[in-house]
Amino acid sequence: MTFTGIQGLDRSIDTTNRWIADVAEAFGTEDRRFAYRALRAWMHTLRDRLTVESAAHLAAQLPELLRGVYYDGWSPGHVPRKYDLREVTVHYAEQARIGRDDVPKTAAVVTEVVSSKMAPGGVEQALWKLPEELRRLFQPGGEPEERAAARSGARASAPRAVM
């Protein structure tokens, strides 16, 4: 599909559209705005908790357009931020405009989608840089019942937006 007539940009726009569509599909919604907010919140929350080097390694695997979103508003001189679990949850919820209780499910679903798009181990390598309680927040899988539902093809439902 041609958007700009510039092959590299058009490819990045198309790839970004597919990533957002895949996030929306993972939640069983057609709300692409929600999917974008969830993905953006995931990228920014993880980015701000990582070292500059780890953040850059993760960004290198993103499509060009999403890499720009990832770096938007980033201040490498102020990372990693030492957010604890509560602060990460608040930050993510505010950025995604979802309830705090929805953050674990949302973060895990986005992690699963992003992991499927990147080189094997790319996301996991970044997650291992986090303290255990934060790593668990981002890791897909959840409780055994949720993993079984995921294997059977069930989708997570999209959280309700908080205004």
Side-chain angles (χ1 to χ4, degrees), residues 3-162:
F3 297 100
T4 66
I6 301 168
Q7 186 178 6
L9 287 178
D10 288 344
R11 188 173 36 254
S12 183
I13 291 168
D14 184 54
T15 302
T16 298
N17 275 321
R18 281 187 273 127
W19 280 46
I20 293 169
D22 288 349
V23 170
E25 183 180 344
F27 283 102
T29 184
E30 294 190 20
D31 186 349
R32 293 172 62 86
R33 287 182 177 97
F34 160 74
Y36 172 74
R37 286 192 320 266
L39 177 59
R40 185 177 190 274
W42 184 92
M43 291 188 301
H44 285 186
T45 303
L46 188 55
R47 170 204 74 190
D48 290 347
R49 195 57 178 78
L50 295 172
T51 64
V52 171
E53 182 178 358
S54 294
H57 282 293
L58 186 62
Q61 299 178 68
L62 295 170
E64 187 175 12
L65 183 59
L66 284 179
R67 196 173 317 126
V69 171
Y70 179 85
Y71 282 124
D72 183 43
W74 189 45
S75 181
H78 295 97
V79 294
R81 293 186 180 163
K82 299 297 181 184
Y83 293 142
D84 63 16
L85 181 59
R86 186 193 65 76
E87 292 167 314
V88 164
T89 300
V90 168
H91 181 73
Y92 195 109
E94 287 173 355
Q95 287 231 341
R97 294 197 322 246
I98 59 175
R100 292 177 189 169
D101 291 343
D102 291 322
V103 170
K105 174 181 72 173
T106 303
V109 168
V110 174
T111 297
E112 193 163 348
V113 172
V114 173
S115 294
S116 74
K117 303 288 187 186
M118 291 187 171
V123 172
E124 292 77 14
Q125 185 178 23
L127 293 178
W128 277 105
K129 305 289 183 177
L130 300 175
E132 185 177 348
E133 69 176 352
L134 298 183
R135 189 170 51 245
R136 282 195 314 261
L137 177 70
F138 283 92
Q139 286 179 325
E143 297 303 313
E145 303 83 39
E146 293 170 0
R147 285 193 293 268
R151 282 193 300 277
S152 71
R155 294 180 182 150
S157 59
R160 296 175 82 177
V162 175

